[in-house]
Amino acid sequence: TADRVTIEQVDAVRWIENTEDKPDLAVYAFVIHEVLGQEGEEGVRRMLTKLFSESPELTLAVIDIDLKSADRAAMSQPLAQAYYNAYLLMHPFTSQRLESRQWWEKLFTECGLRIDAYDTTDPAMDSTGFCVGWVLRKADA
């Protein structure tokens, strides 16, 4: 219902630090790598820790890009050549920092989170496997 859903257009870290909302579901779609680029690893840790300490029953869906630019097979895919090549090149110039699936999963674990699900896009849509997603919950919840 409308009284349970809010949409905010604000810096993710500041919103989490200042909100009194206690969400039970949050979606970070292509946001976490921007926080990493602008606030560093400590900013991401602070954001995740605050979010889950305020809402320990939260389900967090994270959708992002797996930094696989060194994967020759993935980078030789037509979609990688037509789209991801420029996408990956642009990020360092726009204060965004992409990381690998393994890097993110280590960080999530270190933040006390458990990965309840992981998947990539349907290969019929994106044969590169660059777009990834996790469902995260607090490890002790």
Side-chain angles (χ1 to χ4, degrees):
T1 62
D3 64 326
R4 296 190 57 215
V5 175
T6 60
I7 297 174
E8 302 282 340
Q9 183 177 354
V10 66
D11 173 290
V13 176
R14 301 305 165 264
W15 179 81
I16 290 165
E17 289 176 340
N18 296 308
T19 188
E20 293 182 19
D21 290 343
K22 307 284 187 251
D24 54 7
L25 172 67
V27 177
Y28 287 170
F30 308 102
V31 168
I32 203 161
H33 74 264
E34 293 193 29
V35 173
L36 182 62
Q38 296 168 21
E39 303 272 337
E41 187 176 328
E42 193 52 43
V44 174
R45 289 176 183 278
R46 197 171 69 246
M47 178 179 68
L48 292 172
T49 301
K50 175 74 171 170
L51 184 61
F52 279 93
S53 68
E54 296 294 324
S55 301
E57 300 299 318
L58 174 75
T59 299
L60 175 62
V62 175
I63 304 162
D64 218 285
I65 298 297
D66 183 355
L67 180 59
K68 295 175 21 168
S69 54
D71 181 334
R72 290 176 88 76
M75 289 303 292
S76 66
Q77 298 284 334
L79 183 59
Q81 292 177 357
Y83 176 73
Y84 283 117
N85 216 354
Y87 181 89
L88 296 171
L89 180 62
M90 168 191 75
H91 279 72
F93 298 105
T94 56
S95 298
Q96 300 175 61
R97 183 173 146 200
L98 297 169
E99 285 293 346
S100 69
R101 171 188 177 184
Q102 294 78 16
W103 191 93
W104 284 113
E105 290 180 357
K106 181 177 182 280
L107 181 106
F108 297 150
T109 302
E110 290 172 355
C111 288
L113 305 178
R114 120 181 141 245
I115 300 168
D116 281 357
Y118 168 83
D119 210 347
T120 64
T121 52
D122 182 331
M125 255 179 73
D126 181 349
S127 58
T128 65
F130 280 31
C131 190
V132 294
W134 298 269
V135 174
L136 305 172
R137 292 194 178 86
K138 196 167 184 177
D140 57 5

